[in-house]
Amino acid sequence: MGRPSVKEERQEQILEAYESCVARFGVEGATLEKIAQEANLARPLIRHHVGNRQELLAALADRYVRKSNEIVTAMLASLPNSRACDQLLTWLFETPATDSKMVLVAEALIAASQSDPSLAKRMRRHTRGFVNEFAKFFKSEFPKADLAQIQAVATGVVGIYFNVESLVPLGNMRDVREASHKAAHALVDSLRA
C-alpha cells in the first residue's frame, strides 16, 4: 500500500487541530484562525483540504463516530469467553475508556446538534448504534431474556456510561464511577432472572 497523499495528511492534521480546538473552545469558538494556528498551517489551506465550516464539522463528526465505533468494536471483540459481562462493566466503569479530549468533543458535537439538524441526525444514529451494539452483546449473553428487556438494559447501561464519561474532564470522580458500576450491574443482573 502506498504512502498517504499530501491531501490526506493535511486533512488529518487539520482535523486533529480542529478536534483540539473544539475540545478547548467548543464548536462555535473553534474559529478557522485558531484551527490554522493549532495545525500550523495557513488559514486558506483548511478550506482547500477540508472545506467550509459545515464540511469541517461534518468531517469532525465522522472522525468522532469512527473513533468511538473502533473503541466499542475492539472492546467487545476482546472480551473473554467467561464472565464477559463482568469484564465489560469493569472496562466501562472502572477505567475511563476515552480521554478528556474525546469526551469534550462529544459534548461539543451534542451541544452543536441543537442548531444543526444534520449533525443531530448523525449523533442520534451514532448513539442508537452504540446502544444496539450493547443490546446484541447482551442478547448473546442472555439468549432467553426478553428482547424489550435487553434493549432497556442496553439503553440504561449506555446512559449510565455516557453520564460517567461526561464527567471525565472533572477529574477524580471515583465514587460516582463505582456507584455507576453497581447500578449497571443491577441492570444486567435483571437479565439473569
Side-chain angles (χ1 to χ4, degrees):
M1 192 161 129
R3 185 173 172 249
S5 72
V6 171
K7 184 173 178 92
E8 289 170 347
E9 288 177 10
R10 287 286 181 260
Q11 286 173 336
E12 184 62 25
Q13 181 181 3
I14 291 165
L15 288 173
E16 182 66 33
Y18 187 37
E19 190 175 87
S20 294
C21 289
V22 165
R24 263 185 278 158
F25 309 113
V27 170
E28 289 300 317
T31 64
L32 292 177
E33 291 81 15
K34 288 176 183 170
I35 299 164
Q37 184 178 13
E38 180 76 22
N40 201 23
L41 293 171
R43 183 179 159 190
L45 289 176
I46 294 171
R47 188 177 190 94
H48 174 74
H49 288 292
V50 181
N52 62 30
R53 283 195 57 83
Q54 196 60 36
E55 291 165 322
L56 193 58
L57 183 59
L60 180 67
D62 289 344
R63 177 184 166 98
Y64 166 77
V65 167
R66 179 180 41 79
K67 281 179 161 182
S68 178
N69 288 342
E70 287 171 359
I71 290 168
V72 170
T73 299
M75 184 186 306
L76 292 175
S78 64
L79 288 171
N81 289 332
S82 68
R83 302 185 54 85
C85 282
D86 292 339
Q87 183 62 58
L88 175 63
L89 296 180
T90 296
W91 284 343
L92 289 175
F93 296 103
E94 292 303 314
T95 48
T98 56
D99 60 22
S100 292
K101 185 165 90 169
M102 191 164 175
V103 170
L104 292 168
V105 168
E107 291 173 355
L109 289 171
I110 291 168
S113 293
Q114 189 172 14
S115 60
D116 185 334
S118 174
L119 180 60
K121 182 177 179 181
R122 177 179 280 128
M123 296 303 288
R124 282 192 305 268
R125 185 173 48 238
H126 169 63
T127 302
R128 287 186 178 116
F130 199 97
V131 170
N132 288 338
E133 285 300 311
F134 278 72
K136 280 193 277 185
F137 168 74
F138 290 136
K139 179 61 181 162
S140 71
E141 291 294 302
F142 305 100
K144 295 180 181 177
D146 176 69
L147 289 177
Q149 180 69 11
I150 287 172
Q151 194 67 32
V153 167
T155 301
V157 168
V158 168
I160 295 168
Y161 169 70
F162 282 176
N163 183 63
V164 169
E165 285 297 289
S166 75
L167 302 175
V168 165
L170 297 178
N172 185 5
M173 296 292 290
R174 184 114 186 106
D175 55 331
V176 173
R177 233 175 227 293
E178 289 172 356
S180 297
H181 189 174
K182 288 179 183 174
H185 259 293
L187 283 173
V188 171
D189 286 344
S190 75
L191 297 175
R192 299 182 202 280

